[in-house]
Amino acid sequence: MRGMGLLTLPALALLTLLAAWAVSFSLFWLIALVPLAALVLLGIHDMVQRRSSILRNFPVLGHVRFMMEYIRPEMQQYFIERNTDGRPYDRDTRTVIYERSKGIHGDQAFGTELDVEASGYEFLEHSMAPEQPTPEQPRVMVGGPDCTQPYPMALLNVSAMSFGALSANAILALNKGARAGGFAHDTGEGGISPYHREGGGDLIWEIGSGYFGARTPDGRFDPEKFRDKAADPQIKMVELKLSQGAKPGLGGVLPGAKVTAQIAEIRGVPQGVTVISPPAHQVFRTPRELVLFIARMRELAGGKPTGFKLCVGSRREFLAVCKAMLAEGVTPDFIVVDGSEGGTGAAPLEFEDNVGTPLTHGLLTVHNALVGVGLRDRIRIGASGKVARGTDIVKRVAQGADYCNAARAMMMAVGCIQAQKCHTNHCPVGVATQDPKRYRALDVPDKAVRVQRFQAATVAEAQQIIAAMGLTGPHELRPEMVRRRVSQRKVSSYAELYDYLEPGELLGEPVGGWDLDWRAADPDSFRPVAVEA
């Protein structure tokens, strides 16, 4: 700072002399001198500051680099990337979502831009005797033998996104759209807000490790609060979140800038303080305790469908849960499988990129395990992870899901432009922010209609594809109907790429790669027991 002062004084003296000289000619020269003076002072500051080496070596010009770096994502998205290149969602997919939500046709001329000869290309088998798609949306009845209030689930629903992570207007638009379209809206772990209730749409109440909305002052699960709120007829199902795709093994994080007085009241936490949910639950420590807690939740909820959501990690852990179900004679009514490619929540890059099981493998693991222990007919499976188009629904159901949930696609239906600033409170379109000056731009009546249109058009497209495959409904989809190019010369179906268990197969002599994991699974511990290969 001392060096800065020594440089600033002569600079100011020189600028004063220049200003006096310029004014003697004309005031217009003074106007031109002001920005020059600002640049001189900025350059002096850059040379003496110690935080940035770039600015010390390249004063003033270094700021241009930082500015270009700041707008790089937008430049990449709008001017550089091809229609099929963007991540997490490419331009073609985003365009389909926007057009369907606006009621615009989604057709494209001149053929696909995808390389159909490239490894990894997937396609669906159509039939020479296609069917007519059914006019009404398919429904999946969720509710096992211990459920007294089963719920007819739509083929595509709003996945878990909390109020707090999303704005009030975004939540309200999503819920109004869900009500208009007759599909379900998962609250996310942030509790039930007035905007969930105002919309009147069917709710799936998600409870995470923070137990928001049903917690004691010290952060533990409060059964009385849970029972009272779960009795609300708007709540159709209750869900225990074990993990989510973007950050499996981490608790949820809501930055303090988003914790307004209203959010603090809904969640039961201090205002303005970053909210971090614990990575693990307090209500259970073993697979058996998990299963028994699910039964307790169902009882407290008055027999409403009760289940859990997870991003699959160790197959042995899930098999341990299956063993606990068999031992206790208790099953959840549904299980939502979240893929590691999911990502509405903020998470460290390493977790987003390298932790957790992608949806295809996780879904096949859960489906096969339940088939193998003879419980698949009692439990419905939801798939969540980059579901945005009709083909996504068809593929996931063919792989073993009963229905699908979408998060980011629904965000795009209400105006998200994939700016990837969800965790900064600076969402440019008012979807993922608590800044009223930003979210006021989100017009609820218009966006609610867009949500309803997107869901209806996407399900209709899935039904059209299913009919083109010669099938009468999603219940007839099978793994062999989805094909994948695995090399330049070979195409295989999902039935050939993965091993599928027969009903009850794990209860006898497990075969293939399941034997070791099955023997190592312990219903009383999430840590596998040591077994010999």
Side-chain angles (χ1 to χ4, degrees):
M1 296 297 296
R2 181 181 179 184
M4 181 178 178
L6 294 175
L7 287 173
T8 301
L9 291 175
L12 289 175
L14 178 59
L15 288 172
T16 302
L17 292 174
L18 287 173
W21 176 77
V23 170
S24 67
F25 287 96
S26 171
L27 286 176
F28 290 104
W29 285 104
L30 182 61
I31 295 174
L33 191 62
V34 169
L36 176 62
L39 290 175
V40 170
L41 292 175
L42 177 62
I44 294 172
H45 173 270
D46 290 345
M47 286 189 293
V48 299
Q49 58 82 37
R50 298 180 181 276
R51 296 184 61 186
S52 172
S53 299
I54 290 177
L55 293 179
R56 296 193 75 179
N57 288 334
F58 302 96
V60 180
L61 288 177
H63 290 281
V64 176
R65 175 199 181 269
F66 295 130
M67 182 184 69
M68 296 300 292
E69 186 178 50
Y70 183 76
I71 65 173
R72 179 181 178 276
E74 289 79 8
M75 298 290 288
Q76 178 81 15
Q77 180 179 139
Y78 294 117
F79 300 107
I80 298 174
E81 71 182 31
R82 297 180 298 176
N83 288 345
T84 58
D85 282 348
R87 296 288 186 273
Y89 285 83
D90 59 49
R91 169 56 61 183
D92 278 347
T93 299
R94 299 199 303 272
T95 299
V96 165
I97 296 171
Y98 296 144
E99 289 186 348
R100 285 181 177 161
S101 67
K102 296 174 184 177
I104 304 173
H105 67 81
D107 297 337
Q108 178 175 318
F110 232 62
T112 181
E113 295 181 3
L114 299 177
D115 183 358
V116 299
E117 300 298 327
S119 296
Y121 174 73
E122 293 184 346
F123 60 97
L124 303 167
E125 289 185 341
H126 71 284
S127 172
M128 290 190 289
E131 296 282 343
Q132 283 290 338
T134 55
E136 65 278 353
Q137 285 201 19
R139 296 281 168 175
V140 178
M141 192 60 68
V142 180
D146 298 321
C147 172
T148 59
Q149 301 186 53
Y151 176 69
M153 181 72 77
L155 202 57
L156 179 63
N157 308 277
V158 181
S159 194
M161 294 178 286
S162 302
F163 171 58
L166 298 194
S167 68
N169 284 6
I171 292 291
L172 187 54
L174 288 169
N175 197 258
K176 283 180 175 288
R179 181 181 183 182
F183 51 95
H185 180 188
D186 194 314
T187 65
E189 67 172 304
I192 306 168
S193 73
Y195 312 103
H196 289 105
R197 298 189 183 281
E198 182 181 344
D202 292 348
L203 294 178
I204 303 169
W205 184 17
E206 182 181 86
I207 298 290
S209 58
Y211 310 117
F212 301 122
R215 67 189 254 140
T216 61
D218 61 350
R220 296 182 178 276
F221 178 72
D222 188 325
E224 300 300 324
K225 286 184 180 179
F226 177 79
R227 180 176 56 195
D228 292 344
K229 291 186 178 180
D232 187 334
Q234 190 180 354
I235 297 173
K236 304 301 182 182
M237 308 202 310
V238 291
E239 172 185 288
L240 185 70
K241 188 190 96 169
L242 305 185
S243 58
Q244 67 185 82
K247 49 190 174 187
L250 289 181
V253 178
L254 184 64
K258 286 189 172 186
V259 184
T260 63
Q262 185 180 41
I263 291 172
E265 181 181 357
I266 292 169
R267 296 195 178 200
V269 296
Q271 179 182 352
V273 178
T274 296
V275 180
I276 302 177
S277 303
H281 277 269
Q282 299 175 353
V283 292
F284 67 88
R285 290 295 179 185
T286 69
R288 192 185 302 271
E289 291 176 357
L290 165 61
V291 169
L292 293 175
F293 184 72
I294 292 293
R296 186 185 182 202
M297 284 181 65
R298 182 163 48 220
E299 180 183 0
L300 291 170
K304 292 181 179 180
T306 306
F308 61 86
K309 180 181 83 172
L310 82 165
C311 177
V312 175
S314 166
R315 186 168 70 176
R316 295 182 179 185
E317 285 189 351
F318 189 77
L319 288 175
V321 175
C322 291
K323 282 187 174 181
M325 294 179 195
L326 293 171
E328 296 297 329
V330 173
T331 55
D333 299 296
F334 66 93
I335 297 173
V336 175
V337 182
D338 204 8
S340 62
E341 60 268 51
T344 57
L349 183 62
E350 293 89 337
F351 273 78
E352 290 186 337
D353 287 349
N354 303 115
V355 181
T357 304
L359 181 55
T360 293
H361 189 72
L363 177 58
L364 290 169
T365 296
V366 171
H367 171 73
N368 268 304
L370 295 177
V371 169
V373 297
L375 297 176
R376 182 64 179 88
D377 61 333
R378 299 176 55 163
I379 303 170
R380 297 289 178 255
I381 297 178
S384 175
K386 294 192 76 172
V387 176
R389 301 196 282 188
T391 49
D392 298 326
I393 296 175
V394 173
K395 288 178 182 178
R396 297 313 178 189
V397 174
Q399 291 167 0
D402 294 297
Y403 63 91
C404 295
N405 296 332
R408 286 171 291 184
M410 293 293 182
M411 289 173 65
M412 291 180 194
V414 296
C416 168
I417 59 172
Q418 195 170 281
Q420 296 178 278
K421 297 183 182 295
C422 311
H423 59 297
T424 67
N425 208 32
H426 296 146
C427 172
V429 292
V431 176
T433 179
Q434 296 305 309
D435 185 345
K437 292 180 291 186
R438 290 178 179 266
Y439 70 69
R440 68 176 178 81
L442 197 158
D443 184 67
V444 173
D446 176 62
K447 302 304 184 185
V449 172
R450 293 193 183 193
V451 171
Q452 185 270 328
R453 281 190 192 134
F454 166 70
Q455 191 271 354
T458 304
V459 172
E461 188 63 26
Q463 292 176 270
Q464 184 72 64
I465 294 169
I466 291 169
M469 298 169 73
L471 309 176
T472 60
H475 62 282
E476 294 184 338
L477 287 166
R478 297 291 181 269
E480 59 268 19
M481 299 172 182
V482 184
R483 306 190 70 82
R484 181 183 181 91
R485 181 174 292 281
V486 294
S487 69
Q488 194 72 22
R489 300 176 59 185
K490 185 177 181 180
V491 173
S492 300
S493 72
Y494 268 80
E496 298 168 315
L497 291 171
Y498 296 92
D499 295 326
Y500 288 83
L501 298 179
E502 295 296 326
E505 185 175 342
L506 289 174
L507 303 180
E509 292 294 331
V511 296
W514 289 82
D515 177 63
L516 192 62
D517 287 342
W518 178 252
R519 289 190 287 124
D522 182 358
D524 292 307
S525 176
F526 283 108
R527 293 182 178 273
V529 299
V531 295
E532 295 183 1

